[in-house]
Amino acid sequence: MPSLRSRALTAALMAAGRRRRLASAEAVRDQVARSARRPASHLPPRSLGRVADVSRTFVGAWPVYDAAPRGADPATRVLYIHGGSYIDELVRPHWSLVRTLVTEAQAHCVVPAYVLAPRGTADRTVPVATDLLSGLIASGGDGGTVLIGDSAGAGLALAAAQRLRDRTGAQPSRIVLISPWLDVSMTHPDQAALEPADPMLALPGLAEAGRLYAGTLALDDPLVSPLHGSFAGLAPITVFTGTRDVLTTDSRELLHRARADGVEVEFHEAPGLPHTYPLLPVPEGRAARDRIVSLVRAAADG
């Protein structure tokens, strides 16, 4: 049973019509056009600079932020890839998770503000994310490297891990996927039944956002939809999903396919919780963040 606070937040999201922005392909195209005219900021909040050393570099066209513990050597490294249906920038809940990782896990976080769709398509985006992951792993030093992504960012993270495995065989210490979007086709037969209870996501808009991200690639190309790629040889994976999330089908499919390929999977499915609940200010979100912190700390110990 979800907590009272979680139920209240879910009800508020439903009442606010949060998923209207994904209600149709036209709504997504309108949003993309507005963003092209007036791009949203991806800057971290000033409050992060009070507890972390924050800097920015560029990898090609990508601004890449570094946030490290202030006055202390980081215990481990994290590549965090944000969600937003591939069409939205970093927002405050993403930065709040980064703050938690820096302050509670003593992690050095690398946070790319990747180019959004339709300018940023999978064939361009996945190779850059792979290079970032490879460089972070190769930077060596004490501690491990944890790859974390939420929603669309989790799909990009998994695709990068698969590509790096194919390229060099290297892997991070662990992969953490929060409400991952792993198949952009939105054709799973169970999704239509899940959609009415989802307070945040809607199938038509997700399908259009996925189409924009795919560009010239097929929707089932593993670069676009890593659920269709091989899981063999990947690092251990931790997954968080909620049952009021139309994308929970992707998490369940990952569980079966990854274990069939011999990959260790730690699976958390929270009854009654919505999309990306580990980022939300609810007790279940706090518990999930505590688990993520413990996993990042464990990576530091090898």
Side-chain angles (χ1 to χ4, degrees):
M1 174 71 71
S3 66
L4 180 61
R5 188 167 182 179
S6 294
R7 296 200 301 273
L9 180 58
T10 299
L13 290 169
M14 292 289 277
R18 179 68 175 79
R19 66 181 183 180
R20 279 199 295 267
R21 55 189 294 281
L22 294 171
S24 67
E26 182 181 12
V28 166
R29 290 193 294 269
D30 288 346
Q31 180 181 334
V32 168
R34 288 194 300 271
S35 296
R37 292 193 300 268
R38 184 175 296 179
S41 172
H42 47 64
L43 293 172
R46 292 182 180 178
S47 58
L48 181 62
R50 292 197 285 269
V51 297
D53 292 324
V54 181
S55 61
R56 182 177 67 177
T57 57
F58 283 85
V59 176
W62 291 20
V64 178
Y65 295 93
D66 283 78
R70 175 160 288 180
D73 292 331
T76 191
R77 299 172 298 279
V78 168
L79 176 60
Y80 172 59
I81 305 181
H82 74 90
S85 307
Y86 296 114
I87 59 173
D88 290 325
E89 291 286 6
L90 285 148
V91 293
R92 187 167 291 274
H94 301 137
W95 288 116
S96 180
L97 178 59
V98 171
R99 180 189 178 108
T100 296
L101 294 169
V102 171
T103 58
E104 298 184 22
Q106 293 294 292
H108 167 204
C109 292
V110 175
V111 187
Y114 53 88
V115 176
L116 302 175
R119 286 179 55 230
T121 50
D123 59 334
R124 301 174 179 176
T125 303
V126 175
V128 182
T130 305
D131 290 344
L132 283 172
L133 178 59
S134 177
L136 200 58
I137 293 171
S139 64
D142 295 331
T145 300
V146 179
L147 174 61
I148 302 177
D150 73 274
S151 193
L156 176 51
L158 183 59
Q162 290 172 337
R163 186 176 177 92
L164 183 59
R165 173 207 57 204
D166 295 343
R167 183 193 291 175
T168 68
Q171 283 292 281
S173 305
R174 179 168 290 271
I175 302 167
V176 178
L177 306 177
I178 299 168
S179 300
W181 189 22
L182 306 177
D183 181 356
V184 304
S185 71
M186 306 308 299
T187 55
H188 193 285
D190 293 342
Q191 288 177 333
L194 289 167
E195 185 181 26
D198 189 323
M200 300 175 71
L201 304 179
L203 296 176
L206 284 174
E208 177 65 9
R211 186 189 68 80
L212 294 175
Y213 177 64
T216 60
L217 297 178
L219 295 180
D220 62 355
D221 188 301
L223 285 182
V224 180
S225 296
L227 190 63
H228 297 286
S230 169
F231 289 86
L234 294 182
I237 300 173
T238 297
V239 179
F240 296 89
T241 189
T243 61
R244 295 193 67 167
D245 181 355
V246 72
L247 296 180
T248 198
T249 54
D250 287 10
S251 294
R252 293 169 181 169
E253 290 288 340
L254 176 147
L255 176 65
H256 297 308
R257 298 186 190 196
R259 286 183 173 170
D261 280 347
V263 176
E264 174 192 327
V265 181
E266 176 187 327
F267 192 76
H268 302 271
E269 184 174 290
L273 270 291
H275 187 63
T276 61
Y277 79 89
L279 304 184
L280 300 179
V282 296
E284 296 89 344
R286 176 72 260 184
R289 292 191 295 276
D290 287 346
R291 179 57 186 156
I292 293 169
V293 166
S294 71
L295 291 168
V296 173
R297 286 175 173 167
D301 299 328

